[in-house]
Amino acid sequence: MDYINAFWVGGLICALVQILLEKTKLMPGRIMVILVCLGAVLGSVGLYDKLIDFAGAGASVPLPGFGNTLWKGVKEAVDDQGLLGLFTGGLKASAVGISAALIFSYIASWIFRPKMKE
């Protein structure tokens, strides 16, 4: 049942984003920022952790999950370090994911030889 919940929650998030892309004039970058901020806000009020408990990777992998991770990192760092944690916590909590994205993107660029559109 965990797989089914992950599938339909992740699919619902993606479907809602697709509707936003097609029915509004919002640019993709702005929608991504909205999703990250939404994840951080839902995490700050304690709702996103409940969604992750229910849907697992279906909720933690999309962009709102990244916002929730940033929020958790900032919250922990502020509790430990004070105001300085506001600047370091999010990066520390998400460093592995950001590093993996950069490394795998670099490797993919060597394998697939991207070209500029004409």
Side-chain angles (χ1 to χ4, degrees):
M1 195 64 185
D2 291 338
Y3 293 123
I4 293 171
N5 288 336
F7 179 78
W8 78 261
V9 170
L12 180 65
I13 292 170
C14 292
L16 291 173
V17 170
Q18 190 64 40
I19 291 169
L20 274 175
L21 281 168
E22 293 186 16
K23 299 294 182 184
T24 67
K25 293 184 179 185
L26 291 172
M27 300 299 290
R30 290 184 179 167
I31 292 175
M32 289 191 291
V33 169
I34 290 169
L35 290 171
V36 172
C37 291
L38 181 67
V41 169
L42 291 176
S44 69
V45 296
L47 294 177
Y48 209 80
D49 286 332
K50 293 177 184 175
L51 184 61
I52 290 175
D53 290 341
F54 175 74
S60 64
V61 171
L63 282 173
F66 180 67
N68 186 47
T69 300
L70 290 174
W71 163 252
K72 283 182 183 179
V74 167
K75 185 175 182 287
E76 287 178 16
V78 167
D79 291 343
D80 292 343
Q81 302 170 358
L83 187 61
L84 185 62
L86 186 66
F87 302 104
T88 62
L91 292 174
K92 193 172 184 181
S94 61
V96 172
I98 293 170
S99 298
L102 289 172
I103 291 167
F104 291 128
S105 298
Y106 183 72
I107 292 170
S109 74
W110 280 97
I111 295 170
F112 296 107
R113 302 280 184 198
K115 296 179 182 132
M116 297 296 289
K117 289 185 179 182
E118 294 179 15

